């Protein structure tokens, strides 16, 4: 997608240097910073610290992390320990484990001498497939949104967290239908949930701004009221991404998603989930089995932003942080929650959309072994 009108991806391999350049998402939206990853530890740190984030991008970064490790040493022990290091970075997004299993299946049978090149190619193939699948999610999602737009002449979409191109290699998942609809001339307005405590909604607002898509940011707690509105400002649909979809259609996504699903259900507003195949875990029978990441309490105790007022020349303050709670304040910080399948209107994938049921997912992926 575009940054200052220049086509940009979240992760760009630098083959000549056997390195990977990423956009540091911990600095956005206040600062646009590119970091170069050259080692396995760089890649693992980028995932843990959320310099890269979003389920599909976590998977692709892990694949390149393996490639970076095998540049150093392609033997079995290195491969196994690199997989172990990456597999423990973040627990909820299944794309991480999907990518590692995919890479291992490709690399293990190979002679160690062939692994470094093969790993680089395979990671590149996973990245290209992710971008292609997200583009198709955009098209299938647009097909679902068009009738809603035709009914009212414009479209109000609510979203939570960031499931745009910043969370993938390109195009995004939940935002891909929004971009596709906007680019096809549909009058779209996006209602963006701030998504405390890490404020991924600010990333969504930033990328929508870059693409020129009208949007409004709101406090997470305002979602119920916004969904109850009728008339011109009524919300036509909620679209979110996913970190893991169980075989029965239950969905793990950023904490706060479940509350929006409940409010959308009550307000009879379609609740759509967009995700590629790599986010569907057919070995996981239901949401109960999905591990939920608990992150540091400091994500609540400390707020990041620009310190100080905008100065006389209009220059905003400098990036910094503000402590709002004492270090010993008891804090709970689950990073994700589970939306039961019964609150999901449809799942949009690269193969089309389907009801959030075992049957629906089986129809989309008949070749996959089902739990
Ligand atoms: O903690 P994050 O920012 O990695 O959480 C991201 C989300 O929950 C996204 O909605 C999900 O990964 C889908 S990204 C296309």
């Amino acid at each position: 997608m575009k940054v200052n009108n220049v086509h940009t991806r979240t992760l760009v391999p630098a083959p000549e240097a056997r390195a990977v350049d990423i956009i540091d998402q911990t600095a956005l939206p206040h600062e646009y910073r590119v970091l170069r990853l050259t080692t396995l530890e760089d890649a693992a740190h980028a995932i843990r610290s959320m310099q890269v984030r979003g389920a599909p991008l976590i998977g692709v970064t892990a694949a390149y992390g393996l490639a970076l490790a095998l540049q150093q040493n392609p033997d079995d022990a290195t491969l196994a320990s690199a997989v172990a290091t990456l597999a423990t970075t973040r627990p909820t997004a299944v794309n991480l484990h999907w990518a590692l299993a995919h890479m291992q299946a490709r690399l293990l049978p190979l002679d160690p001498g062939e692994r470094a090149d093969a790993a680089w190619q395979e990671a590149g193939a996973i990245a290209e497939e992710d971008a292609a699948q997200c583009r198709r999610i955009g098209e299938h999602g647009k097909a679902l949104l068009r009738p809603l737009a035709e009914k009212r002449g414009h479209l109000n979409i609510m979203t939570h967290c960031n499931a745009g191109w910043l969370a993938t290699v390109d195009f995004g998942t939940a935002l891909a239908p929004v971009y596709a609809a906007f680019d096809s001339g549909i009058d779209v307005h996006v209602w963006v949930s701030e998504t405390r405590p890490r404020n991924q909604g600010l990333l969504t607002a930033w990328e929508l701004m870059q693409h020129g898509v009208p949007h409004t940011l709101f406090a997470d707690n305002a979602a119920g009221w916004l969904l109850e509105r009728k008339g011109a400002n009524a919300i036509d649909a909620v679209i979110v991404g996913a970190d893991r979809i169980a075989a029965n259609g239950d969905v793990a996504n950023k904490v706060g998603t479940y509350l929006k699903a409940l409010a959308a259900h009550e307000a009879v507003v379609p609740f759509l989930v967009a995700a590629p195949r790599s986010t569907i875990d057919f070995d996981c029978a239901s949401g109960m089995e999905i591990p939920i990441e608990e992150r540091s309490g400091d994500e609540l105790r400390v707020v990041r932003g620009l310190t100080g007022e905008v100065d006389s020349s209009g220059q905003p303050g400098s990036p910094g942080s503000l402590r709002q709670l004492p270090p010993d304040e008891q804090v709970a910080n689950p990073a994700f929650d589970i939306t039961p399948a019964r609150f999901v209107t449809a799942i949009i994938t690269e193969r089309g959309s389907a009801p959030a049921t075992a049957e629906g997912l089986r129809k989309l992926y008949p070749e996959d072994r089902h739990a």
Side-chain angles (χ1 to χ4, degrees):
M1 297 301 268
K2 294 203 182 96
V3 175
N4 302 329
N5 258 333
V6 177
H7 182 250
T8 307
R9 283 187 164 187
T10 47
L11 176 152
V12 180
E16 79 291 347
R18 285 290 154 115
V20 177
D21 292 335
I22 59 159
I23 299 172
D24 178 358
Q25 299 194 33
T26 62
L28 284 177
H30 308 300
E31 212 181 328
Y32 185 82
R33 189 161 64 203
V34 172
L35 296 177
R36 175 154 287 193
L37 312 180
T38 59
T39 65
L40 164 71
E41 197 31 53
D42 287 350
H45 173 70
I47 297 171
R48 275 189 225 102
S49 65
M50 297 180 65
Q51 289 168 340
V52 293
R53 39 138 317 270
L57 185 58
I58 290 170
V60 172
T61 307
Y64 275 109
L66 269 190
L68 292 170
L70 297 179
Q71 309 305 322
Q72 312 298 327
N73 180 344
D75 68 14
D76 288 3
T78 304
L79 180 54
S81 71
V83 167
T85 299
L86 291 161
T88 53
T89 48
R90 296 187 72 192
T92 308
V94 74
N95 305 60
L96 171 64
H97 309 290
W98 176 88
L100 292 174
H102 197 93
M103 292 290 283
Q104 280 180 292
R106 174 84 179 83
L107 300 171
L108 271 172
L110 296 180
D111 176 87
E114 299 170 286
R115 287 182 178 159
D117 287 351
W120 200 260
Q121 256 98 46
E122 200 60 30
I126 290 176
E128 288 314 316
E129 184 185 46
D130 180 69
Q133 290 184 340
C134 287
R135 185 196 277 267
R136 289 203 295 279
I137 287 172
E139 291 311 313
H140 293 304
K142 182 175 78 176
L144 277 185
L145 295 179
R146 188 178 288 288
L148 296 173
E150 278 158 8
K151 210 164 65 187
R152 300 206 315 128
H154 65 258
L155 210 48
N156 278 320
I157 297 291
M158 178 182 284
T159 194
H160 183 68
C161 193
N162 171 260
W165 67 271
L166 283 172
T168 64
V169 171
D170 209 342
F171 301 103
T173 59
L175 291 188
V178 168
Y179 290 127
F182 177 79
D183 291 347
S184 70
I186 293 175
D187 173 7
V188 187
H189 191 101
V190 186
W191 296 81
V192 182
S193 194
E194 185 185 26
T195 314
R196 290 276 301 149
R198 288 193 72 112
N199 295 343
Q200 284 91 335
L202 280 59
L203 301 179
T204 297
W206 180 82
E207 60 168 274
L208 290 171
M209 176 273 291
Q210 292 287 343
H211 203 82
V213 180
H215 57 277
T216 301
L217 203 102
F218 63 89
D220 300 332
N221 291 336
W225 187 81
L226 293 170
L227 282 161
E228 281 300 325
R229 287 186 312 184
K230 304 295 176 231
N233 273 333
I235 301 291
D236 297 292
V238 180
I239 310 184
V240 298
D243 288 85
R244 191 181 304 220
I245 298 174
N248 71 341
D250 291 345
V251 172
N253 194 44
K254 183 50 57 191
V255 70
T257 302
Y258 177 37
L259 293 178
K260 285 188 172 62
L262 285 172
H265 182 76
E266 186 59 25
V268 198
V269 171
F271 189 85
L272 307 172
V273 173
R277 165 66 187 86
S278 51
T279 305
I280 302 172
D281 185 355
F282 284 115
D283 296 325
C284 175
S286 80
M288 305 285 284
E289 296 171 25
I290 299 178
I292 298 294
E293 181 183 11
E294 178 75 21
R295 292 189 63 88
S296 157
D298 267 355
E299 293 188 352
L300 274 88
R301 299 189 192 96
V302 176
V303 182
R304 295 193 52 73
L306 294 178
T307 57
E309 289 309 312
V310 175
D311 67 17
S312 54
S313 64
Q315 281 310 305
S318 48
S321 53
L322 207 67
R323 174 168 289 284
Q324 64 172 356
L325 287 168
D328 57 0
E329 183 78 28
Q330 188 73 21
V331 164
N333 186 17
F336 300 97
D337 61 20
I338 306 294
T339 297
R342 66 182 180 280
F343 295 112
V344 177
T345 311
I347 295 176
I348 309 167
T349 77
E350 73 281 358
R351 291 193 180 178
S353 51
T357 60
E359 182 56 30
L361 292 172
R362 239 198 307 274
K363 278 216 180 92
L364 282 176
Y365 301 98
E367 75 280 15
D368 277 293
R369 189 170 50 75
H370 298 276

